[in-house]
Amino acid sequence: MTSILQIILMVLDLAWFIILAHVIMSWLINFRVLNLQQAIVAQIWQGINRLVNPVYSRIRQFLPNTGGLDFAPLIALFAVYALRIIIQNNLYNF
Protein backbone atom coordinates (compact mmCIF):
# COMPACT_ATOMS: atom_id res chain seq x y z
CA MET A 1 0.00 0.00 0.00
CA THR A 2 2.88 2.34 0.73
CA SER A 3 4.20 1.93 -2.81
CA ILE A 4 0.84 2.91 -4.29
CA LEU A 5 0.70 6.03 -2.14
CA GLN A 6 4.25 6.94 -3.14
CA ILE A 7 3.28 6.58 -6.79
CA ILE A 8 0.30 8.87 -6.16
CA LEU A 9 2.66 11.39 -4.54
CA MET A 10 4.90 11.20 -7.61
CA VAL A 11 1.91 11.85 -9.89
CA LEU A 12 0.92 14.84 -7.72
CA ASP A 13 4.48 16.19 -8.02
CA LEU A 14 4.26 15.82 -11.78
CA ALA A 15 0.91 17.65 -11.81
CA TRP A 16 2.45 20.41 -9.67
CA PHE A 17 5.29 20.92 -12.17
CA ILE A 18 2.96 20.83 -15.19
CA ILE A 19 0.75 23.53 -13.66
CA LEU A 20 3.78 25.65 -12.78
CA ALA A 21 5.16 25.22 -16.31
CA HIS A 22 1.79 26.31 -17.72
CA VAL A 23 1.69 29.42 -15.54
CA ILE A 24 5.27 30.43 -16.31
CA MET A 25 4.87 29.72 -20.01
CA SER A 26 1.67 31.79 -20.17
CA TRP A 27 3.50 34.71 -18.58
CA LEU A 28 6.37 34.38 -21.05
CA ILE A 29 3.94 34.28 -23.96
CA ASN A 30 1.97 37.29 -22.70
CA PHE A 31 5.15 39.33 -22.16
CA ARG A 32 6.30 38.28 -25.65
CA VAL A 33 9.41 36.50 -24.48
CA LEU A 34 8.15 33.34 -26.20
CA ASN A 35 6.56 33.39 -29.63
CA LEU A 36 3.81 30.94 -30.54
CA GLN A 37 4.89 31.22 -34.19
CA GLN A 38 7.84 28.97 -33.34
CA ALA A 39 6.87 25.35 -33.91
CA ILE A 40 8.40 23.86 -30.75
CA VAL A 41 6.89 26.56 -28.50
CA ALA A 42 3.47 26.07 -30.08
CA GLN A 43 3.64 22.28 -29.66
CA ILE A 44 4.69 22.50 -26.02
CA TRP A 45 1.99 25.09 -25.32
CA GLN A 46 -0.72 23.00 -26.97
CA GLY A 47 0.42 19.88 -25.13
CA ILE A 48 0.39 21.57 -21.73
CA ASN A 49 -2.99 23.16 -22.50
CA ARG A 50 -4.46 19.75 -23.31
CA LEU A 51 -3.32 18.50 -19.93
CA VAL A 52 -4.48 21.39 -17.74
CA ASN A 53 -7.61 22.71 -19.48
CA PRO A 54 -9.90 19.87 -18.31
CA VAL A 55 -8.87 20.58 -14.71
CA TYR A 56 -9.10 24.35 -15.11
CA SER A 57 -12.52 24.19 -16.76
CA ARG A 58 -13.91 22.24 -13.79
CA ILE A 59 -12.47 24.79 -11.37
CA ARG A 60 -13.73 27.75 -13.43
CA GLN A 61 -17.29 26.45 -13.15
CA PHE A 62 -17.24 27.28 -9.44
CA LEU A 63 -15.30 30.55 -9.58
CA PRO A 64 -16.96 33.93 -10.08
CA ASN A 65 -16.01 35.98 -13.14
CA THR A 66 -12.95 38.03 -12.18
CA GLY A 67 -12.31 39.68 -15.52
CA GLY A 68 -8.74 39.26 -16.67
CA LEU A 69 -7.56 37.33 -13.62
CA ASP A 70 -7.67 33.56 -13.73
CA PHE A 71 -7.51 31.94 -10.32
CA ALA A 72 -7.94 28.38 -11.63
CA PRO A 73 -4.18 27.61 -11.67
CA LEU A 74 -3.80 28.94 -8.13
CA ILE A 75 -6.65 26.77 -6.85
CA ALA A 76 -5.30 23.76 -8.77
CA LEU A 77 -1.87 24.23 -7.18
CA PHE A 78 -3.49 24.59 -3.77
CA ALA A 79 -5.52 21.41 -4.30
CA VAL A 80 -2.49 19.40 -5.42
CA TYR A 81 -0.49 20.63 -2.45
CA ALA A 82 -3.34 19.89 -0.02
CA LEU A 83 -3.73 16.35 -1.38
CA ARG A 84 0.01 15.84 -1.03
CA ILE A 85 -0.08 16.94 2.62
CA ILE A 86 -3.06 14.69 3.37
CA ILE A 87 -1.38 11.67 1.81
CA GLN A 88 1.96 12.32 3.50
CA ASN A 89 0.38 12.76 6.92
CA ASN A 90 -1.57 9.52 6.56
CA LEU A 91 1.06 7.52 4.69
CA TYR A 92 1.99 5.31 7.63
CA ASN A 93 -1.58 4.74 8.76
CA PHE A 94 -2.15 2.32 5.90
Side-chain angles (χ1 to χ4, degrees):
M1 188 65 165
T2 304
S3 298
I4 293 172
L5 293 175
Q6 288 175 341
I7 291 170
I8 292 171
L9 287 174
M10 185 178 60
V11 170
L12 288 174
D13 284 341
L14 181 64
W16 174 269
F17 287 117
I18 289 172
I19 294 169
L20 278 179
H22 182 261
V23 169
I24 292 170
M25 197 167 176
S26 70
W27 289 344
L28 292 175
I29 289 170
N30 285 331
F31 291 127
R32 296 189 179 145
V33 175
L34 292 178
N35 187 0
L36 287 177
Q37 299 300 322
Q38 296 173 339
I40 187 72
V41 174
Q43 287 177 348
I44 293 171
W45 179 246
Q46 289 172 359
I48 291 176
N49 272 334
R50 286 182 185 162
L51 291 173
V52 297
N53 275 340
V55 176
Y56 289 173
S57 64
R58 292 291 204 124
I59 294 171
R60 288 179 186 132
Q61 289 176 355
F62 299 104
L63 291 177
N65 188 7
T66 57
L69 294 176
D70 186 15
F71 291 113
L74 179 66
I75 293 174
L77 284 174
F78 179 76
V80 167
Y81 193 67
L83 284 172
R84 184 164 173 63
I85 289 172
I86 291 169
I87 291 172
Q88 280 182 334
N89 288 341
N90 295 312
L91 184 65
Y92 297 108
N93 291 337
F94 292 104

